Amino acid sequence: MLKERVKRMAAWMVMAVLVISAIRYVPEVVTVSTSVDGRELPIYCVDTEKPQIALSFDAACGGG
């Protein structure tokens, strides 16, 4: 019974370390938007402290 409890506690500790590590290394999400007269405009460049590349896909169907 004690061995099982120790194993369960060790498993919880390992899971906690994994979750904390994952949260710590998740990159920040940055959302940028521009609009003029209610019309959204494309964004071609955003200043960042480190070199980054972002891909964007326009998946709108139809709509004119």
Side-chain angles (χ1 to χ4, degrees):
M1 177 117 174
L2 183 60
K3 276 187 174 183
E4 186 176 321
R5 215 163 108 179
V6 170
K7 285 182 183 178
R8 191 176 298 149
M9 183 62 83
W12 278 107
M13 290 174 68
V14 168
M15 286 178 48
V17 168
L18 290 174
V19 168
I20 290 169
S21 298
I23 291 172
R24 206 171 152 210
Y25 291 105
V26 171
E28 292 180 27
V29 175
V30 177
T31 303
V32 180
S33 171
T34 64
S35 64
V36 174
D37 296 330
R39 260 186 24 209
E40 289 191 10
L41 300 175
I43 298 171
Y44 297 104
C45 178
V46 176
D47 290 331
T48 62
E49 293 179 9
K50 58 184 178 178
Q52 296 181 8
I53 295 175
L55 297 176
S56 175
F57 298 93
D58 183 3
C61 297

